Amino acid sequence: MSLPSADELEQLEEIEKQWAVKAMHHAETYFSLLQAIDGSKLKLTKIDDEIFEDFKATFGADFPVAVLDEARDFKSPEMKEKWRIFINRYEGGKVTDYNFGSLLRLDAGEEYTESNTMFVTRMQFLTIEIARNKAGLNTVHLKSKK
């Protein structure tokens, strides 16, 4: 195996920056939506209900979507495998860009900040945010209309 050249590394860094910018733009857009629309009325995909039911069946109805723990809920070997199997069920066009990177808030009651954000796949983001919306956890961000 050969190491990448300096030019290739610079290109990789640029691609990483582009991914980060795209993920941040997606996060800003989503949070703006939460401030304008009651999250419990928001549909993120055509199959929100299917994703939600599959999530509950796979991870249990007591999965702590309000406040996530990155190590416990995503990074342990058991959870990595559960998420991999879950995510792969949505490949093949069921969910567009299901494996793209997204930013997810750890605490649903807080905004996106460096300490309240983790990097996940788009499918993980959609799954958690659909569950949060159905539980009414994102309504705290709705700005009152004057």
Side-chain angles (χ1 to χ4, degrees):
M1 180 174 132
S2 64
L3 296 173
S5 69
D7 286 342
E8 290 171 325
L9 283 176
E10 284 179 23
Q11 289 173 356
L12 288 174
E13 284 179 27
E14 185 58 34
I15 290 170
E16 250 181 49
K17 285 179 196 171
Q18 290 172 5
W19 275 96
V21 168
K22 187 171 182 167
M24 191 62 219
H25 178 70
H26 177 263
E28 289 170 347
T29 301
Y30 180 65
F31 202 76
S32 292
L33 272 174
L34 291 179
Q35 292 175 321
I37 300 168
D38 182 347
S40 65
K41 295 176 173 60
L42 192 61
K43 269 189 86 72
L44 300 181
T45 72
K46 294 177 185 176
I47 59 169
D48 281 11
D49 292 336
E50 177 185 331
I51 292 169
F52 183 61
E53 292 305 318
D54 189 14
F55 171 66
K56 288 191 310 184
T58 302
F59 294 95
D62 60 344
F63 191 93
V65 295
V67 180
L68 301 166
D69 179 282
E70 187 173 359
R72 176 195 67 215
D73 301 327
F74 296 91
K75 301 295 184 185
S76 73
E78 176 191 355
M79 292 307 284
K80 280 182 179 181
E81 181 64 11
K82 262 186 159 175
W83 276 112
R84 185 187 65 74
I85 292 166
F86 179 86
I87 291 164
N88 286 339
R89 288 198 286 264
Y90 294 91
E91 69 182 329
K94 280 186 94 172
V95 173
T96 306
D97 301 334
Y98 74 101
N99 62 348
F100 278 29
S102 291
L103 298 175
L104 179 66
R105 293 169 297 127
L106 295 170
D107 185 334
E110 302 294 325
E111 296 184 15
Y112 282 96
T113 62
E114 187 173 341
S115 63
N116 192 44
T117 305
M118 68 177 284
F119 194 72
V120 296
T121 66
R122 178 74 47 89
M123 192 63 216
Q124 289 169 309
F125 165 83
L126 290 169
T127 301
I128 297 297
E129 290 299 334
I130 288 167
R132 286 174 169 176
N133 287 339
K134 287 188 178 290
L137 296 171
N138 282 325
T139 56
V140 66
H141 303 296
L142 185 61
K143 297 214 176 187
S144 61
K145 295 184 172 116
K146 296 182 180 182

